[in-house]
Every structure is written in structure tokens, then in C-alpha cells.
Amino acid sequence: MRPPRLRPPHHLGSGPGPAPEPVRRRIDTPRRHAVSTTASWDDLVAAALLGTERRTPPVTPRPGQDPPAALLDAAALSTLRRRAGLRPAAARPAPSPAPEDPRPPLPPAARSRLAMLLAGRSAPGGGRRSAPDLAELLPQWLTMANQYGYQAPAALLPALLDAARARTDLRPEALALGGPRALWLARLNPEWKFALRTGGAGRPGEALAEALAGAEAEASADAEAEAPADGAAAVAVPAGVRRQWEEGLFAERVSLLAAVRHRDPEVGLALLGSTWATERAEDRLMFLDSLRDELSPSDEPFLEQALADRSRNVRATAAELLSALPGSALASRMAERSRACVSLDSGVITVEAPAECDSGMQRDGVVAKPPSGRGERAWWFGQLVEATPLECWSGWFGGRGAAEIVALPVADGWQADLQAAWCRAAVRQRNVEWSRALLGEPVAPPAAPPTAPAAPPTASTGTGGAGAGVPAAAQAAPSWRDPAKLLSALPPDERAQWVADFIAAHGLSDAFRLLGVCAVPWAEPLGRAVVDALDIARDAGSYPWSFSGVMGLAERCLDPDQADRLEVLTAISDEPEDGSPGAGSYWSEAFQRLVGTLRLRAAMRRELEPPDAAAARPAPTS
């Protein structure tokens, strides 16, 4: 660039005469040396992302300049122009210091393991098929770390929050591990606002309840006694809690209600009642469903009022919750209706289904219109029995126990409808005795899927039972029984033994849903039954991906101490003559991955265990 050229001083003139001509400064910048562009920043970015070969840059390059260089020059010029146009803003106040976390830090080995799991959570699924899946191990690691009460390393909090943002199933444990510092950090990044809306934890709002404890203590002096709508008792709701309830987003309010209910059920119910009349129907339904975990007899007045709600779904949910309270007035009304429909004559159960669905039944949650393929009377009858306390049947049937009642014959083909309703009642009321009786022996033929459609009523039965006219002996696999739901009411050890016996008798084909309700890690009998069934499937010559779901569960649920015992299964076995080609090598890779995953889980547990816990743990059995 040439230096500026000024006019000589004598051109300025002197003495009287016309006004002197002002000094003109000119910088010699020929247009041929400049990049000309009027494109916006977004246009420049789009051209850079697509590439100059696919899109002509919106710039005029200098002679001899290639388009990529011209695009970069234009971007630099645009950046300078945008920065020059910014006005300086007032400095923001520095954020408050992060709160202290009194929990102990992770051991060094466990800290390194967490960094590895967070780095590998989004890694592509390529590589060796026998390598463990790190993404599936992260939830287990978080659960174990929280059981020992560790705090997350500060340097890994951003990656932990990113992982929780990408996977909702990680949020409860990830936010619990992150603790108060994760919440503090989430307030500084809008991408992590989910942590604030979920209350900072997913264990029934524990962290949020603790955070509110201080606010409740401060507000207790001026807490006002609320007079909630819909029959709830007058309970003092702290002003700070009430303000968050009235001003928060829906997800924040759901979390707040769960937290307050977990801390004080009566205050939570009063909080819900204070705005119940003004809530939308879909919100009322979600709020009402959140009462399920802390349900108690004190909730009955509120639920009775909800039976008159404008929304049918809200009425049905209120009726379901009331029927789960055996001492409720609704349960008594349903019991009276069921008693009028069922009788025991000479050791045979006789059913006379209701002839109509009156207004009282509908108010108590009975849906009048049946689904396609179901008779009206059978539909109404099933809903009555489902909402009847199971303890009533023993008194009506001469003091018999649940197993004896289930074994009684049922006249006129009503067995399927009656026992299906008993199953739903056992699950809803969490009744162990009835669940055990309805499950039956695990060696019995497995039930058909619970979603199997009911047979349409025949002309002779009209609106009778769905199985009317079909002998009970012909129903070897009743479609009304859902073992997975019934198992959930049994104690963990009994549940695992039942599933183990089922697998030993029937294999793995119908066991996937049953395994999903068993406690983790699997008890030794259940783990042994699963491995034996997989070994049998391998010897039969089938491919392992037919059992990929069970194999995935085994990687996450088998006791890690069983890895050495399973090592023998990693060898390539001889293929049967009628087996699938190459199945032996595929099974070998699948078992290698299983053993590798179990050993990695064992290492994760050792790294997290305090020294005293590791010394007290028994040695693995072979």
C-alpha cells in the first residue's frame, strides 16, 4: 500500500482570497485488491459448510485468488464488521461460588473409569463384536457410585450433564451423583436446564425436597393455612413452595409435587388441591397419577371428589387409586356389587353379570362402553371384580384361601373373565397370596400374550363371558394370565426362583418379559438357569442373535462373580450336522462379550468399594 499523498503547502494559499481548500487525504486502494461481498454471515457459513465446489461463494474474489481464499477473506471482513458494531455492555455480576459437596470423592481408579465411560458413551458401535458396550455399563456404574455416596469430580460434571441430557434414563442417577454442584452448573448453561426442571434428582424428588427444606423452614413463620378445593384438609403450605407451584413450568410442578409428597404427603395433597379447579384436564391426570407412590387413606376424600371430574380419564384414574385402598368407600361399594354377581353353589362358582351399567357404577369408574369383541355384561363384571378387595372373597367362599378359590370350577364359561379380573386386582393391590395362587406352577404351559384379543360372544351367549361355551380344559394356555405383572408382587427371591424353574421347563422363548421384573443382579439359581438355557440353544445349532435380548440382559444382570465359571463357554463348539453354518463361532463371540462384560462390571465394583467393604465381600464361587 502506498503512503498517503498530500497537496503541497503552497497550494493552501495565504492572505486574503477564497477559503483554503481542505486537506484531502487519499489512500490508494485499487478495487482490484479488495474482496467485494454483501452477503450475510449466514450465507458465508452455509457456503463454507457445503464447500466451494458445491456452492459458489457469494463473494467477488480478487484476480488470481481462488474461491476458498476469497470466502475466508470475506468471513474475516464480516467478523471485523460485526465486532466493530457491538456496543460495550455492562459487566455481568460474577456467579456465586459453587456450593460445597460434603460427600467423599471418588477413588482414583473409579474416577478414571467414569471418564472412560463418559468418553465412550457415544462411540460408534463398530469394532470387535466381543467388546463390552460401555454405553450400557454407564447406568450400572452410576447406580453403584450412588450406593456408596460418592460425589462426582468437578472436572467431569459437564460431561456428566451432557450424558444426562442425551439419555433421560441416566438423569436420576447422574443428577444424584452430580449433587448440588451439578445444579449450580446447570443454572449457567441453558442446555442443562432439564436438571432444574427435574429437581436435580430422580429419586422421587429427594434432592429437590432437600433443597426446599431450607425455604420451608424460613417460610414456616408466615406460612398461611390453605383451604384447598375438592375436600382436602386444611394444611399449611409454605409460601415459597406455593409460589414455585403457581409459577413453575409443568415439568417443574410435577417434580415439585413429587418432592413435597415424598417429604409430607398431606402438604403435597394440599398443594395440589389449591389449584385443582383451574388445571387443564391433561395436567389433572398427570398430577393425580403422581399420588400413586405415596398413596394413603388420607387421600381418599380428595380422590372421592375427583370421581366427579369433568374428564373421563381423571375419573378412571381416581377410581383406580381408590380401589387400591382396600378400606375406601369405593372399594366397599364395588364389593357389594361383586357380591351380588358371584355365588358359590355346591363347590361351583356361579356368575350373574350386571344387567346394566347405572350412573352409580359409572361414577365409580366403570366404563360403560366395552372394547371391540367384548360383551357388555362381561366387561362391566370384570371392572367390578377388579376393584373389589381380594380379602372379601375368602369371607364369601367359606374361609378358603386364595389358592383354593382359584382352583374352584366356574360355571358357564366365566372362568377366564373372573380370573382375569382377579389377576388385575392382585397386581393393583400388590397382594402376594393371590399373585402366587394365580401364577400357578412354573412348569405349567406358558400363557399366551396378555394382549390376545378376546373371542367375540356367540349368538347363544349374547353378552356373556368371552370364553362362554369353551370348556376350561380346552384353555390350556389362558390369555388372561400375565405372569410378568403377577411376579412383580412377589418377594425378589421367590420371583427369581419361579422364573428359574420356568426357564428350566420351557426355555428362553417366553422368558424375556419375566427376566425384566427380576432383581439385579440375578440370584444364583436364576443366573444358572439362563446360562444353561443359552448353552442348550448353542448346542442345538441356532444363531445367537435369536437370543440377543436375553444375552443383553445377562450382560447387565448376571452376577459378575460368575465370569470365571462361564469362561469354558467361550470356546468354539462343534456344530451339529443340522445346525446353522458358522453358528459355533458366533456363539463363541457372544460368550466372549458376556464374560468380558462381567469382568468389567466386577472391576467397576472393586474400584468403587471402600477397603472395608471389599474385605468383607465373599470370594466368588466357581
Side-chain angles (χ1 to χ4, degrees), residues 37 41 47 65 96 124 237 276 300 381 384 440 466 509 557:
T37 179
W41 175 255
Q65 187 182 35
S96 58
V237 179
W276 179 259
E300 182 179 357
F381 171 72
L384 297 181
S509 299
C557 303

Side-chain angles (χ1 to χ4, degrees), residues 298-322:
S298 62
D299 297 328
E300 182 179 357
F302 181 85
L303 295 174
E304 277 285 344
Q305 292 291 336
L307 290 175
D309 195 88
R310 302 183 300 273
S311 169
R312 184 184 68 179
N313 291 333
V314 172
R315 295 195 302 269
T317 301
E320 179 184 349
L321 294 177
L322 283 169

